Structures are given as structure tokens and as C-alpha cells.
Amino acid sequence: MIASFGVTEAHGGSDVANIKTRAVQDGDDFIISGTKMFSTNAGTALHGFSTVVAITDPELGPKGLSSFVVPVGTPGFSVGKPSNKIGWRFADSVELYLDDVRIPARNMIGNRGDGLKQVLSVLSIGRILVGATGLGLARRAIDLAKSYGRDRELFGASILKHQGWLFH
Ligand SMILES: Cc1cc2nc3c(=O)[nH]c(=O)nc-3n(C[C@H](O)[C@H](O)[C@H](O)COP(=O)(O)OP(=O)(O)OC[C@H]3O[C@@H](n4cnc5c(N)ncnc54)[C@H](O)[C@@H]3O)c2cc1C
């Protein structure tokens, strides 16, 4: 089973506390509504559940966020099509739609209000990984461009020797 991480929203990326997804308690359940984006691996056949971060206590600001396990197949929970990206194609990035998704309160991860702390502890490692991968992809792209520039000949010389390429 592959899990996904449902945090980022259109207006809540670096500014995680600015998410809009709400989780409202109803007896022993929570009802979650909102839309997430860039969720890695949420589009694979083995996708089993998502850990979704939502606002449980809006009056507490950043301390009013909590995380929940939302199993695939829960009514109202669906995923979009993978985005067509220019890089990082080995893993998909998809939107998660939560339309009045009812889950038991026991699906809350840790304590009510711990959401932001939990997210930042995951993202601190994740952002280093994303940065390192971006650097590796850029380095490989430069290596491929240099090798093509050396091999490709035009007007009697490899194109790397022409001024336009040398500027780059
Ligand atoms: C490969 C990949 C996998 C991902 N997987 C997941 C996932 O599984 N689940 C999930 O929920 N999200 C995921 N994300 C989303 C990721 O968490 C967000 O992209 C990230 O938090 C940044 O948010 P943003 O894209 O909205 O950029 P923004 O927050 O809009 O940032 C845009 C730019 O502004 C800069 N910036 C932001 N704030 C400041 C500031 N205060 N001062 C100066 N500059 C600033 C940023 O550095 C960036 O260059 C993934 C992203 C990537 C790239």
C-alpha cells in the first residue's frame, strides 16, 4: 500500500498555515472538505490512504491544524489526473478532492492542533530532498547539453564553438 501526503493547496504551500481545508467534528466523526494539490503518488493503483491536514480550530490560527488518515474509497474522497510536469516524472503529482468526507475521530494522527508541527517536521526533510533532486536534474541536463554541443557539427565546427552557445 502506498500512502500520500495531503497538505499543499493553491494558497497554502510555503505558507502552510494558510490552507482552507476544514475538518468539522460531528459526534465521533469529522467531516472534511477541501482540495489539495501536488500530492505525490496519490495517482498510483496502490494508493491506499492519504494523510490530510485540515483546520479543526480556526480561532487558534496555526495551532488549529490537525492531521487525519483518509482511506481511499471513503465516500467523497477522490483524486485527479496526474499533472504533466517538466521534471520529477518518476512520481506523479495529483489533486485530492475532499467533498464532505466523513471519517471517525480516531483517524486523527496524534493530538488535535499538532498538524502544523507534524507537517513542518516532514517538510524539513522533504524540501532538502526536493532541492537535491532539482540540482541533480539540472546538472544532468547541462551534461547532456554539453555533450550534444560537442558532437553536433555545423559550419565546420562543433556548435559549442559558436558564439551564441559560448554565451550560455
Ligand atoms: C517534487 C514535489 C513533491 C511534492 N509532494 C507533495 C506532497 O506529496 N504533498 C503535498 O501536500 N505537497 C507536495 N509538494 C508541494 C510542496 O509542499 C510545495 O510546492 C511547497 O510547500 C512550496 O509551495 P508552493 O509550490 O505553493 O510555492 P510558493 O509557496 O508559492 O513559493 C513560491 C516561491 O516563493 C518563495 N517563497 C515562499 N515564501 C517565501 C518567503 N517568506 N520569503 C522569500 N521567498 C519565499 C519560495 O521559495 C518559492 O521560490 C511537492 C512539491 C514538489 C516540488
Side-chain angles (χ1 to χ4, degrees), residues 5-9 12-15 37-40 88 123 127 130:
F5 185 46
V7 183
T8 307
E9 299 178 9
S14 307
D15 187 8
M37 63 194 296
F38 299 150
S39 224
T40 301
W88 200 284
L123 287 183
R127 283 174 175 161
V130 169

Side-chain angles (χ1 to χ4, degrees), residues 3-16 36-42 50-51 53 85 87-88 90-94 96 119 123 126-127 129-131 133:
S4 67
F5 185 46
V7 183
T8 307
E9 299 178 9
H11 299 287
S14 307
D15 187 8
V16 179
K36 302 290 183 179
M37 63 194 296
F38 299 150
S39 224
T40 301
N41 282 334
S50 188
T51 57
V53 181
K85 299 173 292 187
W88 200 284
F90 58 86
D92 60 33
S93 303
V94 304
L96 305 177
V119 167
L123 287 183
R127 283 174 175 161
L129 178 72
V130 169
T133 305

Side-chain angles (χ1 to χ4, degrees), residues 9-33:
E9 299 178 9
H11 299 287
S14 307
D15 187 8
V16 179
N18 198 33
I19 61 167
K20 305 282 182 252
T21 297
R22 279 295 312 267
V24 178
Q25 188 148 18
D26 180 33
D28 290 337
D29 296 335
F30 275 90
I31 299 170
I32 309 179
S33 293

Side-chain angles (χ1 to χ4, degrees), residues 56-57 60 62-67 108 111-117:
T56 42
D57 303 278
L60 297 180
K63 292 193 172 154
L65 269 53
S66 308
S67 312
M108 183 182 282
N111 298 317
R112 188 167 180 148
D114 277 355
L116 186 64
K117 210 163 54 177

Side-chain angles (χ1 to χ4, degrees), residues 28 30 103-109:
D28 290 337
F30 275 90
I103 50 154
R106 65 171 182 275
N107 282 27
M108 183 182 282
I109 303 169

